[in-house]
mmCIF file with all atom_site columns, all heavy atoms in Angstrom:
data_model
loop_
_atom_site.group_PDB
_atom_site.id
_atom_site.type_symbol
_atom_site.label_atom_id
_atom_site.label_alt_id
_atom_site.label_comp_id
_atom_site.label_asym_id
_atom_site.label_entity_id
_atom_site.label_seq_id
_atom_site.pdbx_PDB_ins_code
_atom_site.Cartn_x
_atom_site.Cartn_y
_atom_site.Cartn_z
_atom_site.occupancy
_atom_site.B_iso_or_equiv
_atom_site.pdbx_formal_charge
_atom_site.auth_seq_id
_atom_site.auth_comp_id
_atom_site.auth_asym_id
_atom_site.auth_atom_id
_atom_site.pdbx_PDB_model_num
ATOM 1   N N   . PRO L 1 1  ? -26.912 -40.346 -29.656 1.00 88.00 ? 1  PRO L N   1
ATOM 2   C CA  . PRO L 1 1  ? -26.826 -39.076 -30.404 1.00 88.00 ? 1  PRO L CA  1
ATOM 3   C C   . PRO L 1 1  ? -28.124 -38.270 -30.362 1.00 88.00 ? 1  PRO L C   1
ATOM 4   O O   . PRO L 1 1  ? -28.102 -37.046 -30.190 1.00 88.00 ? 1  PRO L O   1
ATOM 5   C CB  . PRO L 1 1  ? -26.498 -39.539 -31.832 1.00 88.00 ? 1  PRO L CB  1
ATOM 6   C CG  . PRO L 1 1  ? -25.831 -40.859 -31.660 1.00 88.00 ? 1  PRO L CG  1
ATOM 7   C CD  . PRO L 1 1  ? -26.530 -41.492 -30.495 1.00 88.00 ? 1  PRO L CD  1
ATOM 8   N N   . GLY L 1 2  ? -29.263 -38.932 -30.501 1.00 90.00 ? 2  GLY L N   1
ATOM 9   C CA  . GLY L 1 2  ? -30.534 -38.232 -30.418 1.00 90.00 ? 2  GLY L CA  1
ATOM 10  C C   . GLY L 1 2  ? -30.805 -37.698 -29.022 1.00 90.00 ? 2  GLY L C   1
ATOM 11  O O   . GLY L 1 2  ? -31.339 -36.594 -28.861 1.00 90.00 ? 2  GLY L O   1
ATOM 12  N N   . PHE L 1 3  ? -30.424 -38.470 -28.004 1.00 90.00 ? 3  PHE L N   1
ATOM 13  C CA  . PHE L 1 3  ? -30.602 -38.025 -26.628 1.00 90.00 ? 3  PHE L CA  1
ATOM 14  C C   . PHE L 1 3  ? -29.714 -36.818 -26.343 1.00 90.00 ? 3  PHE L C   1
ATOM 15  O O   . PHE L 1 3  ? -30.111 -35.909 -25.609 1.00 90.00 ? 3  PHE L O   1
ATOM 16  C CB  . PHE L 1 3  ? -30.273 -39.159 -25.664 1.00 90.00 ? 3  PHE L CB  1
ATOM 17  C CG  . PHE L 1 3  ? -30.476 -38.809 -24.219 1.00 90.00 ? 3  PHE L CG  1
ATOM 18  C CD1 . PHE L 1 3  ? -31.750 -38.804 -23.667 1.00 90.00 ? 3  PHE L CD1 1
ATOM 19  C CD2 . PHE L 1 3  ? -29.400 -38.466 -23.412 1.00 90.00 ? 3  PHE L CD2 1
ATOM 20  C CE1 . PHE L 1 3  ? -31.949 -38.475 -22.335 1.00 90.00 ? 3  PHE L CE1 1
ATOM 21  C CE2 . PHE L 1 3  ? -29.590 -38.132 -22.083 1.00 90.00 ? 3  PHE L CE2 1
ATOM 22  C CZ  . PHE L 1 3  ? -30.864 -38.131 -21.539 1.00 90.00 ? 3  PHE L CZ  1
ATOM 23  N N   . GLN L 1 4  ? -28.537 -36.797 -26.925 1.00 90.00 ? 4  GLN L N   1
ATOM 24  C CA  . GLN L 1 4  ? -27.637 -35.657 -26.753 1.00 90.00 ? 4  GLN L CA  1
ATOM 25  C C   . GLN L 1 4  ? -28.276 -34.374 -27.272 1.00 90.00 ? 4  GLN L C   1
ATOM 26  O O   . GLN L 1 4  ? -28.212 -33.322 -26.626 1.00 90.00 ? 4  GLN L O   1
ATOM 27  C CB  . GLN L 1 4  ? -26.325 -35.924 -27.494 1.00 90.00 ? 4  GLN L CB  1
ATOM 28  C CG  . GLN L 1 4  ? -25.351 -34.752 -27.468 1.00 90.00 ? 4  GLN L CG  1
ATOM 29  C CD  . GLN L 1 4  ? -24.038 -35.093 -28.166 1.00 90.00 ? 4  GLN L CD  1
ATOM 30  O OE1 . GLN L 1 4  ? -23.755 -36.252 -28.463 1.00 90.00 ? 4  GLN L OE1 1
ATOM 31  N NE2 . GLN L 1 4  ? -23.240 -34.087 -28.438 1.00 90.00 ? 4  GLN L NE2 1
ATOM 32  N N   . ASN L 1 5  ? -28.906 -34.463 -28.418 1.00 91.00 ? 5  ASN L N   1
ATOM 33  C CA  . ASN L 1 5  ? -29.586 -33.306 -28.978 1.00 91.00 ? 5  ASN L CA  1
ATOM 34  C C   . ASN L 1 5  ? -30.734 -32.859 -28.072 1.00 91.00 ? 5  ASN L C   1
ATOM 35  O O   . ASN L 1 5  ? -30.923 -31.660 -27.830 1.00 91.00 ? 5  ASN L O   1
ATOM 36  C CB  . ASN L 1 5  ? -30.118 -33.646 -30.368 1.00 91.00 ? 5  ASN L CB  1
ATOM 37  C CG  . ASN L 1 5  ? -30.753 -32.466 -31.058 1.00 91.00 ? 5  ASN L CG  1
ATOM 38  O OD1 . ASN L 1 5  ? -30.124 -31.423 -31.245 1.00 91.00 ? 5  ASN L OD1 1
ATOM 39  N ND2 . ASN L 1 5  ? -32.004 -32.608 -31.455 1.00 91.00 ? 5  ASN L ND2 1
ATOM 40  N N   . GLU L 1 6  ? -31.483 -33.800 -27.545 1.00 93.00 ? 6  GLU L N   1
ATOM 41  C CA  . GLU L 1 6  ? -32.601 -33.479 -26.664 1.00 93.00 ? 6  GLU L CA  1
ATOM 42  C C   . GLU L 1 6  ? -32.111 -32.859 -25.359 1.00 93.00 ? 6  GLU L C   1
ATOM 43  O O   . GLU L 1 6  ? -32.740 -31.935 -24.821 1.00 93.00 ? 6  GLU L O   1
ATOM 44  C CB  . GLU L 1 6  ? -33.416 -34.748 -26.374 1.00 93.00 ? 6  GLU L CB  1
ATOM 45  C CG  . GLU L 1 6  ? -34.612 -34.546 -25.463 1.00 93.00 ? 6  GLU L CG  1
ATOM 46  C CD  . GLU L 1 6  ? -35.646 -33.596 -26.029 1.00 93.00 ? 6  GLU L CD  1
ATOM 47  O OE1 . GLU L 1 6  ? -35.626 -33.328 -27.258 1.00 93.00 ? 6  GLU L OE1 1
ATOM 48  O OE2 . GLU L 1 6  ? -36.474 -33.094 -25.248 1.00 93.00 ? 6  GLU L OE2 1
ATOM 49  N N   . PHE L 1 7  ? -30.984 -33.326 -24.863 1.00 92.00 ? 7  PHE L N   1
ATOM 50  C CA  . PHE L 1 7  ? -30.404 -32.762 -23.638 1.00 92.00 ? 7  PHE L CA  1
ATOM 51  C C   . PHE L 1 7  ? -30.109 -31.283 -23.838 1.00 92.00 ? 7  PHE L C   1
ATOM 52  O O   . PHE L 1 7  ? -30.433 -30.439 -22.986 1.00 92.00 ? 7  PHE L O   1
ATOM 53  C CB  . PHE L 1 7  ? -29.116 -33.519 -23.286 1.00 92.00 ? 7  PHE L CB  1
ATOM 54  C CG  . PHE L 1 7  ? -28.664 -33.345 -21.863 1.00 92.00 ? 7  PHE L CG  1
ATOM 55  C CD1 . PHE L 1 7  ? -28.589 -34.430 -21.011 1.00 92.00 ? 7  PHE L CD1 1
ATOM 56  C CD2 . PHE L 1 7  ? -28.314 -32.093 -21.377 1.00 92.00 ? 7  PHE L CD2 1
ATOM 57  C CE1 . PHE L 1 7  ? -28.176 -34.276 -19.695 1.00 92.00 ? 7  PHE L CE1 1
ATOM 58  C CE2 . PHE L 1 7  ? -27.905 -31.931 -20.059 1.00 92.00 ? 7  PHE L CE2 1
ATOM 59  C CZ  . PHE L 1 7  ? -27.833 -33.021 -19.219 1.00 92.00 ? 7  PHE L CZ  1
ATOM 60  N N   . THR L 1 8  ? -29.512 -30.950 -24.972 1.00 92.00 ? 8  THR L N   1
ATOM 61  C CA  . THR L 1 8  ? -29.177 -29.559 -25.262 1.00 92.00 ? 8  THR L CA  1
ATOM 62  C C   . THR L 1 8  ? -30.433 -28.707 -25.374 1.00 92.00 ? 8  THR L C   1
ATOM 63  O O   . THR L 1 8  ? -30.482 -27.576 -24.872 1.00 92.00 ? 8  THR L O   1
ATOM 64  C CB  . THR L 1 8  ? -28.363 -29.470 -26.563 1.00 92.00 ? 8  THR L CB  1
ATOM 65  O OG1 . THR L 1 8  ? -27.188 -30.285 -26.448 1.00 92.00 ? 8  THR L OG1 1
ATOM 66  C CG2 . THR L 1 8  ? -27.954 -28.043 -26.861 1.00 92.00 ? 8  THR L CG2 1
ATOM 67  N N   . ILE L 1 9  ? -31.456 -29.228 -26.028 1.00 93.00 ? 9  ILE L N   1
ATOM 68  C CA  . ILE L 1 9  ? -32.703 -28.480 -26.206 1.00 93.00 ? 9  ILE L CA  1
ATOM 69  C C   . ILE L 1 9  ? -33.375 -28.206 -24.865 1.00 93.00 ? 9  ILE L C   1
ATOM 70  O O   . ILE L 1 9  ? -33.817 -27.086 -24.587 1.00 93.00 ? 9  ILE L O   1
ATOM 71  C CB  . ILE L 1 9  ? -33.657 -29.245 -27.144 1.00 93.00 ? 9  ILE L CB  1
ATOM 72  C CG1 . ILE L 1 9  ? -33.096 -29.259 -28.569 1.00 93.00 ? 9  ILE L CG1 1
ATOM 73  C CG2 . ILE L 1 9  ? -35.055 -28.627 -27.125 1.00 93.00 ? 9  ILE L CG2 1
ATOM 74  C CD1 . ILE L 1 9  ? -33.874 -30.125 -29.524 1.00 93.00 ? 9  ILE L CD1 1
ATOM 75  N N   . VAL L 1 10 ? -33.454 -29.219 -24.009 1.00 95.00 ? 10 VAL L N   1
ATOM 76  C CA  . VAL L 1 10 ? -34.105 -29.047 -22.709 1.00 95.00 ? 10 VAL L CA  1
ATOM 77  C C   . VAL L 1 10 ? -33.320 -28.058 -21.851 1.00 95.00 ? 10 VAL L C   1
ATOM 78  O O   . VAL L 1 10 ? -33.917 -27.222 -21.141 1.00 95.00 ? 10 VAL L O   1
ATOM 79  C CB  . VAL L 1 10 ? -34.252 -30.396 -21.983 1.00 95.00 ? 10 VAL L CB  1
ATOM 80  C CG1 . VAL L 1 10 ? -34.737 -30.195 -20.552 1.00 95.00 ? 10 VAL L CG1 1
ATOM 81  C CG2 . VAL L 1 10 ? -35.216 -31.293 -22.737 1.00 95.00 ? 10 VAL L CG2 1
ATOM 82  N N   . LEU L 1 11 ? -32.001 -28.126 -21.911 1.00 93.00 ? 11 LEU L N   1
ATOM 83  C CA  . LEU L 1 11 ? -31.168 -27.195 -21.148 1.00 93.00 ? 11 LEU L CA  1
ATOM 84  C C   . LEU L 1 11 ? -31.509 -25.752 -21.499 1.00 93.00 ? 11 LEU L C   1
ATOM 85  O O   . LEU L 1 11 ? -31.670 -24.897 -20.621 1.00 93.00 ? 11 LEU L O   1
ATOM 86  C CB  . LEU L 1 11 ? -29.691 -27.476 -21.404 1.00 93.00 ? 11 LEU L CB  1
ATOM 87  C CG  . LEU L 1 11 ? -28.688 -26.489 -20.801 1.00 93.00 ? 11 LEU L CG  1
ATOM 88  C CD1 . LEU L 1 11 ? -28.800 -26.469 -19.285 1.00 93.00 ? 11 LEU L CD1 1
ATOM 89  C CD2 . LEU L 1 11 ? -27.268 -26.830 -21.229 1.00 93.00 ? 11 LEU L CD2 1
ATOM 90  N N   . LYS L 1 12 ? -31.655 -25.474 -22.778 1.00 91.00 ? 12 LYS L N   1
ATOM 91  C CA  . LYS L 1 12 ? -31.986 -24.106 -23.200 1.00 91.00 ? 12 LYS L CA  1
ATOM 92  C C   . LYS L 1 12 ? -33.456 -23.782 -22.959 1.00 91.00 ? 12 LYS L C   1
ATOM 93  O O   . LYS L 1 12 ? -33.801 -22.621 -22.687 1.00 91.00 ? 12 LYS L O   1
ATOM 94  C CB  . LYS L 1 12 ? -31.615 -23.924 -24.671 1.00 91.00 ? 12 LYS L CB  1
ATOM 95  C CG  . LYS L 1 12 ? -30.105 -23.957 -24.918 1.00 91.00 ? 12 LYS L CG  1
ATOM 96  C CD  . LYS L 1 12 ? -29.766 -23.705 -26.370 1.00 91.00 ? 12 LYS L CD  1
ATOM 97  C CE  . LYS L 1 12 ? -30.159 -24.864 -27.251 1.00 91.00 ? 12 LYS L CE  1
ATOM 98  N NZ  . LYS L 1 12 ? -29.699 -24.678 -28.654 1.00 91.00 ? 12 LYS L NZ  1
ATOM 99  N N   . ASP L 1 13 ? -34.313 -24.784 -23.033 1.00 93.00 ? 13 ASP L N   1
ATOM 100 C CA  . ASP L 1 13 ? -35.747 -24.539 -22.824 1.00 93.00 ? 13 ASP L CA  1
ATOM 101 C C   . ASP L 1 13 ? -36.092 -24.262 -21.362 1.00 93.00 ? 13 ASP L C   1
ATOM 102 O O   . ASP L 1 13 ? -37.204 -23.799 -21.069 1.00 93.00 ? 13 ASP L O   1
ATOM 103 C CB  . ASP L 1 13 ? -36.568 -25.739 -23.309 1.00 93.00 ? 13 ASP L CB  1
ATOM 104 C CG  . ASP L 1 13 ? -36.800 -25.711 -24.812 1.00 93.00 ? 13 ASP L CG  1
ATOM 105 O OD1 . ASP L 1 13 ? -36.464 -24.692 -25.445 1.00 93.00 ? 13 ASP L OD1 1
ATOM 106 O OD2 . ASP L 1 13 ? -37.312 -26.704 -25.357 1.00 93.00 ? 13 ASP L OD2 1
ATOM 107 N N   . THR L 1 14 ? -35.161 -24.531 -20.444 1.00 93.00 ? 14 THR L N   1
ATOM 108 C CA  . THR L 1 14 ? -35.439 -24.211 -19.044 1.00 93.00 ? 14 THR L CA  1
ATOM 109 C C   . THR L 1 14 ? -35.687 -22.718 -18.857 1.00 93.00 ? 14 THR L C   1
ATOM 110 O O   . THR L 1 14 ? -36.336 -22.312 -17.890 1.00 93.00 ? 14 THR L O   1
ATOM 111 C CB  . THR L 1 14 ? -34.279 -24.639 -18.129 1.00 93.00 ? 14 THR L CB  1
ATOM 112 O OG1 . THR L 1 14 ? -33.057 -24.027 -18.587 1.00 93.00 ? 14 THR L OG1 1
ATOM 113 C CG2 . THR L 1 14 ? -34.107 -26.148 -18.137 1.00 93.00 ? 14 THR L CG2 1
ATOM 114 N N   . SER L 1 15 ? -35.184 -21.902 -19.775 1.00 90.00 ? 15 SER L N   1
ATOM 115 C CA  . SER L 1 15 ? -35.405 -20.454 -19.671 1.00 90.00 ? 15 SER L CA  1
ATOM 116 C C   . SER L 1 15 ? -36.874 -20.097 -19.827 1.00 90.00 ? 15 SER L C   1
ATOM 117 O O   . SER L 1 15 ? -37.306 -19.006 -19.429 1.00 90.00 ? 15 SER L O   1
ATOM 118 C CB  . SER L 1 15 ? -34.573 -19.720 -20.734 1.00 90.00 ? 15 SER L CB  1
ATOM 119 O OG  . SER L 1 15 ? -34.947 -20.127 -22.039 1.00 90.00 ? 15 SER L OG  1
ATOM 120 N N   . ILE L 1 16 ? -37.686 -21.024 -20.391 1.00 91.00 ? 16 ILE L N   1
ATOM 121 C CA  . ILE L 1 16 ? -39.123 -20.770 -20.542 1.00 91.00 ? 16 ILE L CA  1
ATOM 122 C C   . ILE L 1 16 ? -39.805 -20.680 -19.179 1.00 91.00 ? 16 ILE L C   1
ATOM 123 O O   . ILE L 1 16 ? -40.874 -20.079 -19.043 1.00 91.00 ? 16 ILE L O   1
ATOM 124 C CB  . ILE L 1 16 ? -39.771 -21.887 -21.397 1.00 91.00 ? 16 ILE L CB  1
ATOM 125 C CG1 . ILE L 1 16 ? -39.126 -21.925 -22.786 1.00 91.00 ? 16 ILE L CG1 1
ATOM 126 C CG2 . ILE L 1 16 ? -41.258 -21.684 -21.531 1.00 91.00 ? 16 ILE L CG2 1
ATOM 127 C CD1 . ILE L 1 16 ? -39.297 -20.662 -23.585 1.00 91.00 ? 16 ILE L CD1 1
ATOM 128 N N   . ALA L 1 17 ? -39.195 -21.273 -18.148 1.00 91.00 ? 17 ALA L N   1
ATOM 129 C CA  . ALA L 1 17 ? -39.763 -21.188 -16.803 1.00 91.00 ? 17 ALA L CA  1
ATOM 130 C C   . ALA L 1 17 ? -39.831 -19.746 -16.317 1.00 91.00 ? 17 ALA L C   1
ATOM 131 O O   . ALA L 1 17 ? -40.493 -19.443 -15.315 1.00 91.00 ? 17 ALA L O   1
ATOM 132 C CB  . ALA L 1 17 ? -38.940 -22.032 -15.828 1.00 91.00 ? 17 ALA L CB  1
ATOM 133 N N   . PHE L 1 18 ? -39.164 -18.875 -17.027 1.00 87.00 ? 18 PHE L N   1
ATOM 134 C CA  . PHE L 1 18 ? -39.267 -17.437 -16.794 1.00 87.00 ? 18 PHE L CA  1
ATOM 135 C C   . PHE L 1 18 ? -40.736 -16.992 -16.807 1.00 87.00 ? 18 PHE L C   1
ATOM 136 O O   . PHE L 1 18 ? -41.131 -16.073 -16.078 1.00 87.00 ? 18 PHE L O   1
ATOM 137 C CB  . PHE L 1 18 ? -38.480 -16.733 -17.915 1.00 87.00 ? 18 PHE L CB  1
ATOM 138 C CG  . PHE L 1 18 ? -38.622 -15.243 -17.959 1.00 87.00 ? 18 PHE L CG  1
ATOM 139 C CD1 . PHE L 1 18 ? -37.799 -14.439 -17.200 1.00 87.00 ? 18 PHE L CD1 1
ATOM 140 C CD2 . PHE L 1 18 ? -39.569 -14.646 -18.771 1.00 87.00 ? 18 PHE L CD2 1
ATOM 141 C CE1 . PHE L 1 18 ? -37.932 -13.063 -17.244 1.00 87.00 ? 18 PHE L CE1 1
ATOM 142 C CE2 . PHE L 1 18 ? -39.698 -13.268 -18.822 1.00 87.00 ? 18 PHE L CE2 1
ATOM 143 C CZ  . PHE L 1 18 ? -38.874 -12.478 -18.053 1.00 87.00 ? 18 PHE L CZ  1
ATOM 144 N N   . ALA L 1 19 ? -41.579 -17.668 -17.600 1.00 88.00 ? 19 ALA L N   1
ATOM 145 C CA  . ALA L 1 19 ? -42.989 -17.272 -17.758 1.00 88.00 ? 19 ALA L CA  1
ATOM 146 C C   . ALA L 1 19 ? -43.800 -17.438 -16.477 1.00 88.00 ? 19 ALA L C   1
ATOM 147 O O   . ALA L 1 19 ? -44.814 -16.759 -16.298 1.00 88.00 ? 19 ALA L O   1
ATOM 148 C CB  . ALA L 1 19 ? -43.632 -18.079 -18.882 1.00 88.00 ? 19 ALA L CB  1
ATOM 149 N N   . ILE L 1 20 ? -43.367 -18.336 -15.578 1.00 89.00 ? 20 ILE L N   1
ATOM 150 C CA  . ILE L 1 20 ? -44.113 -18.536 -14.334 1.00 89.00 ? 20 ILE L CA  1
ATOM 151 C C   . ILE L 1 20 ? -43.314 -18.046 -13.129 1.00 89.00 ? 20 ILE L C   1
ATOM 152 O O   . ILE L 1 20 ? -43.624 -18.381 -11.984 1.00 89.00 ? 20 ILE L O   1
ATOM 153 C CB  . ILE L 1 20 ? -44.501 -20.018 -14.142 1.00 89.00 ? 20 ILE L CB  1
ATOM 154 C CG1 . ILE L 1 20 ? -43.273 -20.937 -14.176 1.00 89.00 ? 20 ILE L CG1 1
ATOM 155 C CG2 . ILE L 1 20 ? -45.514 -20.440 -15.186 1.00 89.00 ? 20 ILE L CG2 1
ATOM 156 C CD1 . ILE L 1 20 ? -43.584 -22.387 -13.871 1.00 89.00 ? 20 ILE L CD1 1
ATOM 157 N N   . GLY L 1 21 ? -42.273 -17.261 -13.400 1.00 84.00 ? 21 GLY L N   1
ATOM 158 C CA  . GLY L 1 21 ? -41.532 -16.629 -12.322 1.00 84.00 ? 21 GLY L CA  1
ATOM 159 C C   . GLY L 1 21 ? -40.553 -17.509 -11.589 1.00 84.00 ? 21 GLY L C   1
ATOM 160 O O   . GLY L 1 21 ? -40.092 -17.136 -10.493 1.00 84.00 ? 21 GLY L O   1
ATOM 161 N N   . LEU L 1 22 ? -40.221 -18.676 -12.130 1.00 88.00 ? 22 LEU L N   1
ATOM 162 C CA  . LEU L 1 22 ? -39.241 -19.534 -11.474 1.00 88.00 ? 22 LEU L CA  1
ATOM 163 C C   . LEU L 1 22 ? -37.868 -18.864 -11.539 1.00 88.00 ? 22 LEU L C   1
ATOM 164 O O   . LEU L 1 22 ? -37.444 -18.416 -12.604 1.00 88.00 ? 22 LEU L O   1
ATOM 165 C CB  . LEU L 1 22 ? -39.186 -20.910 -12.150 1.00 88.00 ? 22 LEU L CB  1
ATOM 166 C CG  . LEU L 1 22 ? -38.257 -21.938 -11.506 1.00 88.00 ? 22 LEU L CG  1
ATOM 167 C CD1 . LEU L 1 22 ? -38.728 -22.289 -10.105 1.00 88.00 ? 22 LEU L CD1 1
ATOM 168 C CD2 . LEU L 1 22 ? -38.177 -23.201 -12.358 1.00 88.00 ? 22 LEU L CD2 1
ATOM 169 N N   . ALA L 1 23 ? -37.186 -18.808 -10.413 1.00 83.00 ? 23 ALA L N   1
ATOM 170 C CA  . ALA L 1 23 ? -35.928 -18.067 -10.330 1.00 83.00 ? 23 ALA L CA  1
ATOM 171 C C   . ALA L 1 23 ? -34.766 -18.860 -10.911 1.00 83.00 ? 23 ALA L C   1
ATOM 172 O O   . ALA L 1 23 ? -33.800 -19.175 -10.222 1.00 83.00 ? 23 ALA L O   1
ATOM 173 C CB  . ALA L 1 23 ? -35.640 -17.681 -8.885  1.00 83.00 ? 23 ALA L CB  1
ATOM 174 N N   . GLU L 1 24 ? -34.871 -19.177 -12.216 1.00 88.00 ? 24 GLU L N   1
ATOM 175 C CA  . GLU L 1 24 ? -33.736 -19.817 -12.879 1.00 88.00 ? 24 GLU L CA  1
ATOM 176 C C   . GLU L 1 24 ? -32.814 -18.717 -13.413 1.00 88.00 ? 24 GLU L C   1
ATOM 177 O O   . GLU L 1 24 ? -32.951 -17.551 -13.061 1.00 88.00 ? 24 GLU L O   1
ATOM 178 C CB  . GLU L 1 24 ? -34.208 -20.778 -13.981 1.00 88.00 ? 24 GLU L CB  1
ATOM 179 C CG  . GLU L 1 24 ? -35.322 -20.269 -14.866 1.00 88.00 ? 24 GLU L CG  1
ATOM 180 C CD  . GLU L 1 24 ? -34.866 -19.215 -15.830 1.00 88.00 ? 24 GLU L CD  1
ATOM 181 O OE1 . GLU L 1 24 ? -33.944 -19.477 -16.611 1.00 88.00 ? 24 GLU L OE1 1
ATOM 182 O OE2 . GLU L 1 24 ? -35.429 -18.109 -15.803 1.00 88.00 ? 24 GLU L OE2 1
ATOM 183 N N   . LEU L 1 25 ? -31.902 -19.085 -14.295 1.00 91.00 ? 25 LEU L N   1
ATOM 184 C CA  . LEU L 1 25 ? -30.840 -18.166 -14.696 1.00 91.00 ? 25 LEU L CA  1
ATOM 185 C C   . LEU L 1 25 ? -31.371 -16.918 -15.401 1.00 91.00 ? 25 LEU L C   1
ATOM 186 O O   . LEU L 1 25 ? -30.970 -15.793 -15.093 1.00 91.00 ? 25 LEU L O   1
ATOM 187 C CB  . LEU L 1 25 ? -29.839 -18.911 -15.581 1.00 91.00 ? 25 LEU L CB  1
ATOM 188 C CG  . LEU L 1 25 ? -28.539 -18.176 -15.929 1.00 91.00 ? 25 LEU L CG  1
ATOM 189 C CD1 . LEU L 1 25 ? -27.814 -17.737 -14.667 1.00 91.00 ? 25 LEU L CD1 1
ATOM 190 C CD2 . LEU L 1 25 ? -27.638 -19.080 -16.768 1.00 91.00 ? 25 LEU L CD2 1
ATOM 191 N N   . LEU L 1 26 ? -32.266 -17.098 -16.374 1.00 89.00 ? 26 LEU L N   1
ATOM 192 C CA  . LEU L 1 26 ? -32.770 -15.955 -17.129 1.00 89.00 ? 26 LEU L CA  1
ATOM 193 C C   . LEU L 1 26 ? -33.596 -15.016 -16.248 1.00 89.00 ? 26 LEU L C   1
ATOM 194 O O   . LEU L 1 26 ? -33.489 -13.790 -16.359 1.00 89.00 ? 26 LEU L O   1
ATOM 195 C CB  . LEU L 1 26 ? -33.602 -16.437 -18.314 1.00 89.00 ? 26 LEU L CB  1
ATOM 196 C CG  . LEU L 1 26 ? -34.137 -15.338 -19.247 1.00 89.00 ? 26 LEU L CG  1
ATOM 197 C CD1 . LEU L 1 26 ? -32.982 -14.564 -19.866 1.00 89.00 ? 26 LEU L CD1 1
ATOM 198 C CD2 . LEU L 1 26 ? -35.020 -15.937 -20.334 1.00 89.00 ? 26 LEU L CD2 1
ATOM 199 N N   . THR L 1 27 ? -34.413 -15.573 -15.372 1.00 89.00 ? 27 THR L N   1
ATOM 200 C CA  . THR L 1 27 ? -35.218 -14.751 -14.468 1.00 89.00 ? 27 THR L CA  1
ATOM 201 C C   . THR L 1 27 ? -34.328 -13.901 -13.571 1.00 89.00 ? 27 THR L C   1
ATOM 202 O O   . THR L 1 27 ? -34.585 -12.713 -13.342 1.00 89.00 ? 27 THR L O   1
ATOM 203 C CB  . THR L 1 27 ? -36.128 -15.639 -13.604 1.00 89.00 ? 27 THR L CB  1
ATOM 204 O OG1 . THR L 1 27 ? -36.892 -16.493 -14.452 1.00 89.00 ? 27 THR L OG1 1
ATOM 205 C CG2 . THR L 1 27 ? -37.062 -14.801 -12.758 1.00 89.00 ? 27 THR L CG2 1
ATOM 206 N N   . ARG L 1 28 ? -33.280 -14.485 -13.054 1.00 91.00 ? 28 ARG L N   1
ATOM 207 C CA  . ARG L 1 28 ? -32.370 -13.756 -12.177 1.00 91.00 ? 28 ARG L CA  1
ATOM 208 C C   . ARG L 1 28 ? -31.605 -12.685 -12.953 1.00 91.00 ? 28 ARG L C   1
ATOM 209 O O   . ARG L 1 28 ? -31.342 -11.595 -12.422 1.00 91.00 ? 28 ARG L O   1
ATOM 210 C CB  . ARG L 1 28 ? -31.400 -14.726 -11.504 1.00 91.00 ? 28 ARG L CB  1
ATOM 211 C CG  . ARG L 1 28 ? -32.072 -15.590 -10.448 1.00 91.00 ? 28 ARG L CG  1
ATOM 212 C CD  . ARG L 1 28 ? -31.146 -16.666 -9.924  1.00 91.00 ? 28 ARG L CD  1
ATOM 213 N NE  . ARG L 1 28 ? -31.852 -17.523 -8.974  1.00 91.00 ? 28 ARG L NE  1
ATOM 214 C CZ  . ARG L 1 28 ? -31.793 -17.380 -7.653  1.00 91.00 ? 28 ARG L CZ  1
ATOM 215 N NH1 . ARG L 1 28 ? -31.081 -16.411 -7.119  1.00 91.00 ? 28 ARG L NH1 1
ATOM 216 N NH2 . ARG L 1 28 ? -32.456 -18.199 -6.863  1.00 91.00 ? 28 ARG L NH2 1
#
């Protein structure tokens, strides 16, 4: 259950890669 919560958080935190120009979903 705790890992499930962390999985969700990391999935949404990938948008932070926007700060270094990584072409993930939010950057595109």
Side-chain angles (χ1 to χ4, degrees):
F3 182 79
Q4 176 177 347
N5 184 57
E6 180 62 17
F7 198 118
T8 303
I9 292 173
V10 172
L11 173 61
K12 292 183 289 186
D13 278 352
T14 56
S15 61
I16 300 298
F18 172 87
I20 56 175
L22 184 64
E24 43 73 57
L25 189 56
L26 183 61
T27 306
R28 289 172 183 263

